[in-house]
Every structure is written in structure tokens, then in C-alpha cells.
Amino acid sequence: MSENLIEVRDLVVEYPGKGRRSAPLRVLKEVSLDIRPGECVGLVGESGSGKTTLGRAILGLAPVTGGQIRYRGQDIAHMHRSQRRAMGSEIQVVFQDPYTSLNPSMTIGDILAEPLTARRVPKAQARERVKELLDQVRLPSDALTRLPREFSGGQRQRVAIARALALEPSLIICDEPVSALDLSTQQRVLDLFVEIQERTGVAYLFITHDLAVVRNVSHRVAVLYRGDIVEWGDAAQVTSTPEHPYTQRLWMAAPVPDPDAQEVRRAQRLRLLAQQAELDEQAGAGAGADEALPRSA
Amino acid sequence: MSEALTTQSAPAADPETAVPSLGRRLLKDPLGVGALGFLLLVVLAAVFAGVIAPYGWNDQVLADALQGPSSTHPLGTDGAGRDVLSFLLYGGRFSLASAALAVVVAVGLGAVSGLIAGYFGRWFDSLGSWAANILLALPAMIVLLAARSVVGPSAWWAMGIFGVILSASVFRLVRAAVQGVRNELYVDAARVSGLSDVRIIFRHVLRVVRAPIIIQVASIASVAIAVQAGLEFIGMGDPEIPSWGKALNNGFTKIYQQPMLVLWPGLLIALTCLALTLIANALRDALENTGATQPKAPGHAGTPGATQSSVEDVPLLEVHGLRIAYGVPGGVKEVVHGIDLDVRAGEVLGLIGESGSGKTQTAFGIMGLLPVGGGITGGRVLWHGEDLVSKPAKELAALRGNKIAYIPQEPMSNLDPSFTIGYQLVEPLRQHLRMSRAQARERARELLARVGIPDPARTMRSYPHEVSGGMAQRVLIAGAISCEPELLIADEPTTALDVTVQADILELLRSLQQDLQMGVILVTHNFGVVADLCDRVAVMQEGLIVERGDIREVFADPQHPYTRQLFDAILSEDDVRPAYVAREMAR
């Protein structure tokens, strides 16, 4: 087995509390995870579980209060900003919202050339590379002179992917990259992600709340629940025979696009909820405090 | 709502009808063009004063003093026998230049400090804001008079100091704009690409603050000209330099002998300030109003004589040939092209489609709640056989609160953050059902308990930001069912929620629908949600319904190619990615 590309060890991220005296908000509680070169790791969780924060911490955009993030053996969590900038090309990002992640007043050509010019790539060479990138994400070359607003959500997301690829990174953090897209567009963009990975060997941290998506693109899956990774393993195993009760609840909650199968799943889910509520009551853990487990009406 | 917005902004996406450039938009505003022309004239006249002016500014011919307008002196002469026109032309140089100095100082100081404070924040932000607050609190005139006693009668100094005072407003403006853009995702993306802060500021941030700064410059210049003239008028200027304010002062001392002398400089100052203000307004209009969407009166081109089925089998709601259109620059854009729908009592109809298919427009159209600029241009909406399209707005409103209820996509943005949840539930109950306060409160508590909120009393005292998205959606559902409606229109009610919360909300909707025997129109893009809850489904594509039918039939054997395409796009549960294979990275 080749060595890990990135290793997250006991990562803690805290945001300062609102008042002077209030305790800091602990978003990630000693999270550990690793990604191998060319691998896609899916990160699943609900809103507020800290999945976006984990991605931002790896990108250097969130305050790390404890633990380590090692990139090819080197700790990048506590790096100075200028050092970080020097290695900036290695880890890139694709955000969820294709509407706000592209500067509306810049042409597609300028957006794609920006990371290259920041690295002082000569103009002619940058222009070549931009054309290559458009080709890679299957956009027509006349897109160069047009503005983001002339493109649909799926096309904009392709531009964002091209921008992330510009500097040939070894890891791309994909933060819900298909959640804002329509069903048919979503599938094509996912296929593009997989295809690019197979061709270039780039690794992904694929953050999503959509279980079908994570199953489709990931090699391994981590399930994040309230700042903790509760389950972590091969995608096939985690998505078909989940062990942690939360993961089970998560899988059961997603409705199946088939009326009869959904009826079965609905019944299963209600049974599971009843069982877990009973267990909680026996354990005296105070199920009422658990908001993710409300009594079904 | 988001649906409505995307449809409205759709024309801008078309390169043919793209928003015209700033210059062209500005030229469309006659006031702005006039003001710009006038200002240009004044500036050119001042610059070329040496060529245009018939005399020097200080050429005194005492014999000709205090003359009215004549062929040799077009605007007459002042008390020292100087030509008024020449004095004003030369005076323009100083008046405009000193105003420009104030603007340059204000923008230079304010914009730079605002950028730093807004972008980096921390101690500089606190210090800058503190300084700006002090500057804003200082009475400018008194500071300028005090400064004169220290630095002498130099008007340049005065205007420089005035620029510092004005910089506070620029600082605030720029700081707020920069703070707004600092957290945009594209700024994060640039940071990740390895751009330095300086580059990010120049490439991304400056573009955003450019427009407000330009507008502010025009209004600051107008203030500077007025204040400068004011200083000169009270005699606090430099006696060696001609200016508009001094011309006003000269005229004022001779107001009984030659009243016209006050008129010319006064008119010039007023018109210049007016021109600058008008330019600022025109700029703001041009920069901030892009797509000009004019509202369009809906024409009731209803097709009469549509099917009138037998009385006992009248569905709850029937829609015939519904057309919805929006006014766009240069015409009308139809987004729903004549669709038919019907919902029976106690039946759940799924309306499924991708963004831009017109499903939300249809829902809003049925309720008569289309956003400004939109209207029903054809067809009928029959409620128990009665047409709603031609009903007066007041009757529709009564129907909406009572018989037709609505659940939105974004629960949070549909609750008012400044009122408690209890208040927002109780008030409509008192309005619609004429309950007393105590009765309404009791009913609200019951409703909250019914929608599965664990501690209704506490939730009623909470403000919307204190509850989760799922709770907020439960509150809105409680509000929607409070009048026991016959029809519930739910527009993507679970899209913004987590999957486990979604399952709970769907469960709640199912049990409520069965208890109250409501008809439901469920707008969604999720086939799983349709499979979970609906009896029948209608598939929408680009403003048309392409397929409809019993849910089991449609799911088992979709007929239309578009429906099939949608089903194919669903990620199958069996599609698991093949296992990871390590390979040599050639990097």
C-alpha cells in the first residue's frame, strides 16, 4: 500500500463563543481520517455535523485548535500563511454553490487563468493550459470570453472544477459539489469527477449529505455526527451494512424512488426508531435531549 | 421564491439580451446626461479660462464698476470694476480644484483604510471605526474655522482637512462593502489558489467596492463645492485667489446697488452641486438596477366553455390551460405554457420537475401570489368549480388563509426573526378564526404538540433563530393546518432539511393529510419524496406537463422520454464504486 496523502489526527476545531465568558464552540472533536493518493473519501453528515469545517481546516480556512493535519508527512495545520501559500497548489477546492463561487464580473478565461498567473506562469503557457482545462471539463472553448451568468449551474460547476484542476493538485476538497444541481446534471457532473480522478490520479475528499452520491463516487466513507466520526470504512460496507445506529438511521431516512420499496423502508425505519428509543430509555440516556431523534408524529 | 428569481433573471443569461454596459445605461437617463454635459462644460470652461475669458480676473476698471450686463461685459462688472464672467471662469479653477482635493483626500484616506479595516479586521478595524465615529461627530464648519486660525487663510489646507473629515463616510461605505465580499466563496477559492491578499484585494474586492465609491465621489464633490463656497463667502478664503464663493461675497456686499451680482455665482454653485447630485443618482440607478423588469398587467384571456363535469365529482381544484408570463426588457416571457391539473379531496398530487420547469410558478399562480412582474395570461383555476383567476384579490386572500394553505421551501426565511413563534402562530388564528387571545394561545399549543414539537410552551416563547430548521418547518406546518385547510400546497417542503429530518417531516405530512383528509399539491424534484407520499404525479418540463398518472404506473412504466431520462439520472443504490486500487503516482 502506498503511503497516505493526507492524514488527519485528532483534529479539534473550535470557534470562539459569542460572549467573552462563554465556552468556545467545539465543531470538531478529535477527528481522525486519512486519504490515499488517487482515492475518493466520502464524508457524510447532516448540517452542523462539522463536515464542511473539516474540509475548510484541511484548506487552511478554519482555526485548528488541536491535533494535526499531515500532508505527505508534513504538518500543515499550524503553518504560517505564507508557507501555506507556497504549497497552495497541492490542495484545491470545489464549493457547493456554483453561483457565488465564481466572481460574477470576471470572464471564464480570467477565472481559470487566475491561479496560473498567481504562480507566475507565462501568459502564452497559461492560455494553452486554460484551453486544455476547458477541454477536460467538456466546455466549449468559446466559453473563455463569457461571464459566469451566461452559464447554467452544471456548467458553472464545470468551470469551478477546471479552476481547481488548473494547478494540477493532488487533492481536491469537494464541498457538496452536486447538491445545488438538477438530477440529470448531477449525474453528469459526478461522472466527470470520477473520470478526471481516473485519468489524473487526483484524490478527493467528497463532502455530501446525499447517500446515493457518496455511494457512487467514494472508495471509503466517513460518517460525521456532531463533530465525531462515528463510522469509517469501505464504501460498500458502510453503505450496505452500517453498524452505528446513527448511520443506520441515516440510510433508512433516504426515501427510495420506488413506491413499494419505499413503503417497506418506511416501515423498517419506524421499527428502527422505536427500537432505538426503547434502548435509549433503558439506558436512561434521556432520549428527549437528542434532537435528531424526535418521536415520529 | 428562489424559483421565481431564477426564472426572472433568466433573460440576463441570454447573451443576446445581456445587460448593456454601464456607459450605455447611463446615457439612457436624460437627467444624468444633461448633468454630465453641464459639468463637463463647467470644467472645460475653468480649464480654458485663459483662452475664453475676455479679461483677466483681476483687471479692475473702476470707472466701469457695478455695470449691468452689456456687450462688453456679458454678466456685468463687480464693485471693483472687474468683469464678472471672467472672474467666475477663473474662479471655477480654484473652486473645482479645491473640491477635487477634498475628494482625493477623502477617497484616498477613506477607501484605503476602509479596505484594510474591512478585509483584515481586528485592531485596525476597531481603531478605524473609532476614528470615523469621532470624525462624523465633529461639526465640520467649526473645525475648518479653527484650522484657519492655526494654518492661516490657505484654502488648500482647509479643503485637505475637510477631505479628512469626509473620509469617515467613505471609510464606512468601503468597510461595509468589503466585509460583504470578504466571505464570498470566490474569495475563498482565490485564497486556496494561492493568491496573496494584495492580489485578492485588487482583483476581487476592488471590483465590488468600485461602484459605491464612484457614487460617493459625486456626492462628496457636491458637498465640498458648497462648503468651499461657504468658507469663501464668510471671508475665510485666500484673498489672492478668485473663487465662486468670493464672487458671491463681493456681490453680497453690493447687493443694494447691483442685486444681479449675487445671482450669477449663486446660480453657478447651485447648478454645479445639482449636476453632481443628479450624476450620483443616475450612476446609482445605472449600477444598481440592471434588468429592467416592468410589471405587466395580466390579461384575462380565459378560454370559456371548458369542461364542466357533473356536480358530485367536481375536484377540489382544477387547472385548465394555465399560462403564466413575466415582463422582461423588450417583451413578455412565458414560463408556464398552458397546463392542466386537478386535485381531489384527500389526494396527494406530486408536481415534479427540474429547476426552471415552472413548477413553483404553477403553485404560486394557483394561489394568486405571483411575484411582481408576473401574471396569469390565460387559463382558469377552478376551486370547487369557481374560477379564482377573475376573483378580486381580497376574496382570494380570505381563501388562502382559510381553505388553501402553503408550506414554503425555506422555513427560516418565512418566519419573522423579530417576533416569537407563539406570536406568529397566535395572530393569524385571531385574525382568521376570530378567537380570543387565550383561546388562540391554547389552540397554538395544541397545534405545536400535534406537529411533534416536544415542549410547545417553550417553543412558543422562542424566537425563530433559537430553533432548528426542522423545528421551524414544523412550526410553519402547524400554522398551515391551523385553519384545517382543504388544500395544502407544499413547495419543496423538505429540500432545505437534512435527510433524517426530511423523513420525520414527510411522516408528519402523511399523518396530517390522513387525519384532515386534505388535498395536497407537493412540489418537489425528488423522486424519493414523490414515491413516499404521493398518490398521483405530474412531470413538468419547461413549462409543460409532459406526463401524469397514478404514481405506481408512472414509476413502473414511464411513457414520456423526459420522464425516462429523469429516472435514468437517479443514482441507483446498487451502483457502488469499484474498490480503491493504489497505483504509482507519476508526480
Side-chain angles (χ1 to χ4, degrees), chain B residues 115-145:
Chain B
L115 265 175
I116 297 174
Y119 190 80
F120 297 104
R122 287 187 240 170
W123 64 269
F124 190 90
D125 186 23
S126 325
L127 189 72
S129 303
W130 183 78
N133 289 342
I134 288 193
L135 284 176
L136 285 172
L138 285 176
M141 239 353 174
I142 292 175
V143 173
L144 291 178
L145 293 179

Side-chain angles (χ1 to χ4, degrees), chain B residues 380-448:
Chain B
R380 303 197 297 166
V381 179
L382 300 179
W383 173 253
H384 289 294
E386 210 183 325
D387 193 8
L388 293 185
V389 176
S390 50
K391 252 198 178 18
K394 210 172 162 189
E395 279 178 54
L396 258 184
L399 197 62
R400 271 198 303 264
N402 257 321
K403 302 285 179 195
I404 304 180
Y406 170 69
I407 307 175
Q409 179 178 148
E410 291 281 344
M412 278 305 176
S413 50
N414 279 276
L415 287 170
D416 190 327
S418 42
F419 294 99
T420 61
I421 285 170
Y423 181 85
Q424 294 182 57
L425 277 177
V426 166
E427 277 313 295
L429 284 174
R430 295 184 59 199
Q431 279 278 324
H432 278 293
L433 302 180
R434 310 247 160 259
M435 286 182 175
S436 74
R437 192 179 293 268
Q439 268 177 321
R441 212 173 274 153
E442 185 49 41
R443 175 89 176 114
R445 246 193 301 272
E446 278 169 29
L447 285 167
L448 287 178

Side-chain angles (χ1 to χ4, degrees), chain A residues 161-281:
Chain A
I161 296 171
R163 174 176 59 189
L165 287 172
L167 297 170
E168 303 185 337
S170 48
L171 173 67
I172 299 182
I173 309 287
C174 311
D175 190 358
E176 304 255 14
V178 295
S179 307
L181 305 181
D182 274 325
L183 200 57
S184 45
T185 327
Q186 178 176 331
Q187 195 199 22
R188 269 174 281 153
V189 173
L190 283 180
D191 288 346
L192 179 68
F193 268 111
V194 172
E195 183 206 309
I196 286 173
Q197 180 159 58
E198 268 155 22
R199 201 168 24 158
T200 64
V202 63
Y204 297 138
L205 178 67
F206 210 97
I207 301 169
T208 180
H209 68 274
D210 191 325
L211 310 169
V213 166
V214 84
R215 207 177 154 86
N216 248 259
V217 299
S218 316
H219 296 110
R220 284 188 296 166
V221 175
V223 181
L224 202 57
Y225 179 56
R226 299 190 177 180
D228 266 323
I229 288 187
V230 295
E231 193 152 358
W232 165 229
D234 281 337
Q237 183 264 313
V238 176
T239 58
S240 48
T241 51
E243 281 163 12
H244 193 272
Y246 172 71
T247 321
Q248 292 172 352
R249 242 167 30 220
L250 205 60
W251 294 137
M252 288 292 168
V256 205
D258 173 346
D260 299 311
Q262 172 57 19
E263 212 173 298
V264 176
R265 173 169 290 196
R266 192 162 62 222
Q268 280 178 344
R269 172 174 174 270
L270 291 179
R271 215 164 33 238
L272 181 78
L273 286 181
Q275 273 172 12
Q276 288 183 356
E278 210 168 288
L279 282 177
D280 284 349
E281 225 157 276

